[in-house]
Amino acid sequence: MTDAIGIAVQVQAGDRRAVEVIAEALSRLDDAAGLNAVVARRDDAALADAAAVDRAVAAGQVLPLAGVPVAVKDNLADAGWPLTCASAALRDHVAADTATAVARLRAAGAVVVARTNLDAFAMGSSTERSIYGPTRNPWDRERVAGGSSGGSAALVAAGAVPLALGSDTGGSVRQPAALCGVTGVLPTWGRVSRRGLVAFASSLDQVGPLTRSAADAHAALAVMAGPDPLDTSAADRPLDPWDPDEGLGGLRVGWLQEAFEPPTEPRVAGAVMAALGRLGVPLSTHALPELGHAGPAYLVLSTAEASSNLARYDGLRFGTPAPPGSAQPRVDARALLGEEVRRRLLMGTAVLAAGPRRALYARACAARDRLRAALDALFEEVDLLACPTSPTTAFPLGARLDDPVAMARADTLTVAANLAGLPALSTPCGLVDGLPVGLQLIAPRWAEARLFTAATALEALQGKTNAVR
Ligand code: GLN
């Protein structure tokens, strides 16, 4: 499978037809079936969409993503298609309209071929808590693909599609990208419209691309970014121009000391440090003690917001109704949300309830403010911050299912960017015991271009991505 930009150039030039590209992607989806990454396929619709792209190109239209196959996480709406969030509560739900991010990719010539697996309602770090069963990691099928956008990451890593969409509330694009050896981007909060994204925690949620190169991620983001009358949080802020051939210049990179210490595995830390060393830019070390509070603050704030956002799945307006004769119809309807989602909603309701626990919410807000201020201060000294994306490589299926604390540890290095509203990117930087390691770069608000510049330099140093071919 060629990269997204390569496909678009060929289709635009008339060297290849979109219908051929899409037919090939569909057969690659067949080959990848064992990963359990796909929850719904659009074969006929995708071929029809591809034919329309071919007609538009023949008529002289310029489409930046002409014929690019894309897979979409099953928490982003696409009118007329199932939108289940991998939860029994939405098993029969069909989307009434289309997410702005999806609509913009399509308007740019991309063709949606499939919908991908996730942890129910994007709550999880392994894509195991899904009514469809777990997604498997293409590098080792007995291991998790990461989560919650694990289906999207596994498909890109397997070479079935060059581009997939995920959502990232606390790491759900970057962490599976790291564990599957692909590129994943969390845009600046407000960069991409969330219209049509099923809300988890609104002050943290962003839609982001998963690809096999930084340049492809940039191409997708350039199309998706920008204001949206249907989502006032989407800023009127064009993506900075980015030249893929621009060198690193005097880019100053700082590494976050705490993120390289346990519980980060020493060999993961070593792989990331070695890659940073190869970059050949001025490196400095920075302490960020506020990082220690990021995980707990994320837990409080994300569950509080989720308890409000998910209140609608009571089986009346949204969600599957409880069976007739249920003793408590709303409670029984909520049982369909599943154990993990209910655990979070209970926690969120508790921290928002009047009483002494309410202080936790205020403390989490204060921790978030301090983290944001500390990161802003670091960006007075450096242009980018770097650390591992995940403290470990992909873990075995089932290993953390009974241990929510161990599961949440997978997110300790990713939640900070969400809490601070900063853009971040995970790029593959090597292997430990044959499993991919992700290097995370964090930039100041709206400075995604720096992420793409540094990630492109890293790719060149190690021969494109490590993705499974
Ligand atoms: N793994 C984190 C969680 O379970 C992040 C999820 C996400 O980013 N959607 O909350």
Side-chain angles (χ1 to χ4, degrees):
M1 170 71 60
T2 332
D3 57 309
I5 294 173
I7 289 172
V9 167
Q10 287 175 340
V11 171
Q12 187 72 55
D15 293 341
R16 228 173 141 194
R17 289 189 312 137
V19 281
E20 287 162 26
V21 175
I22 297 306
E24 186 190 322
L26 294 173
S27 89
R28 285 178 185 250
L29 289 180
D30 293 339
D31 298 343
L35 300 174
N36 196 33
V38 170
V39 304
R41 289 177 56 152
R42 296 180 79 250
D43 292 38
D44 293 342
L47 288 167
D49 290 350
V53 169
D54 284 328
R55 285 195 299 275
V57 167
Q61 233 179 296
V62 177
L63 298 171
L65 297 177
V68 173
V70 51
V72 173
K73 188 177 182 178
D74 194 22
N75 64 348
L76 282 155
D78 194 0
W81 291 88
L83 173 62
T84 72
C85 294
S87 171
L90 290 179
R91 199 186 282 277
D92 302 318
H93 187 68
V94 173
D97 60 7
T98 299
T100 298
V102 174
R104 288 188 180 164
L105 288 181
R106 198 172 264 144
V111 175
V112 178
V113 292
R115 301 185 57 77
T116 62
N117 204 5
L118 66 153
D119 291 293
F121 286 102
M123 295 180 187
S125 311
S126 65
T127 313
E128 293 176 288
R129 294 191 182 277
S130 157
I131 52 167
Y132 306 105
T135 292
R136 292 168 182 272
N137 191 313
W139 291 80
D140 176 350
R141 294 189 176 211
E142 297 310 312
R143 290 177 186 267
V144 302
S148 62
S149 314
S152 288
L155 279 189
V156 173
V161 289
L163 168 64
L165 288 188
S167 63
D168 193 316
T169 303
S172 277
V173 166
R174 290 160 289 153
Q175 185 260 16
L179 270 45
C180 289
V182 300
T183 304
V185 178
L186 166 72
T188 305
W189 191 88
R191 178 67 91 184
V192 178
S193 166
R194 283 101 43 86
R195 169 70 179 185
L197 168 68
V198 174
F200 168 2
S202 306
S203 78
L204 304 159
D205 297 339
Q206 273 292 288
V207 178
L210 293 110
T211 56
R212 289 155 72 95
S213 69
D216 277 0
H218 172 265
L221 189 58
V223 163
M224 294 191 292
D228 178 1
L230 300 174
D231 176 4
T232 51
S233 76
D236 189 359
R237 194 81 212 209
L239 210 56
D240 286 342
W242 176 65
D243 173 4
D245 299 322
E246 171 192 305
L248 284 167
L251 213 65
R252 298 160 302 168
V253 179
W255 51 279
L256 292 174
Q257 188 181 320
E258 289 83 355
F260 290 83
E261 294 166 357
T264 298
E265 277 179 5
R267 293 170 69 203
V268 167
V272 171
M273 257 186 236
L276 285 174
R278 286 195 292 271
L279 258 186
V281 298
L283 290 173
S284 48
T285 312
H286 301 268
L288 183 65
E290 291 81 1
L291 205 56
H293 295 140
Y298 171 80
L299 188 66
V300 171
L301 297 173
S302 67
T303 56
E305 293 184 29
S307 75
S308 160
N309 274 329
L310 273 69
R312 70 191 76 168
Y313 303 108
D314 58 5
L316 295 177
R317 278 194 310 141
F318 289 101
T320 306
S326 292
Q328 292 178 289
R330 283 177 168 230
V331 174
D332 291 354
R334 291 205 173 106
L336 296 171
L337 290 167
E339 188 194 5
E340 176 63 21
V341 175
R342 280 194 302 154
R343 187 192 348 260
R344 304 228 191 175
L345 300 188
L346 285 171
M347 201 181 299
T349 307
V351 299
L352 287 179
R357 283 200 205 89
R358 186 70 191 253
L360 276 176
Y361 184 77
R363 284 168 64 191
C365 290
R368 179 184 200 165
D369 290 346
R370 284 195 303 272
L371 176 70
R372 192 187 277 258
L375 284 163
D376 286 348
L378 285 182
F379 284 124
E380 301 284 318
E381 297 168 46
V382 297
D383 302 303
L384 284 174
L385 290 166
C387 66
T389 307
S390 158
T392 68
T393 54
F395 41 93
L397 287 165
R400 300 191 187 175
L401 267 181
D402 297 327
D403 188 347
V405 176
M407 190 67 95
R409 217 173 283 135
D411 313 322
T412 44
L413 304 177
T414 46
V415 294
N418 303 81
L419 287 167
L422 301 174
L425 171 152
S426 180
T427 186
C429 75
L431 300 176
V432 165
D433 291 334
L435 295 170
V437 175
L439 182 156
Q440 180 178 221
L441 297 163
I442 306 174
R445 261 172 287 285
W446 313 115
E448 283 92 343
R450 286 183 207 169
L451 302 174
F452 298 125
T453 296
T456 301
L458 282 161
E459 286 170 16
L461 284 171
Q462 54 178 38
K464 278 289 175 187
T465 74
N466 291 313
V468 179
R469 293 189 199 252

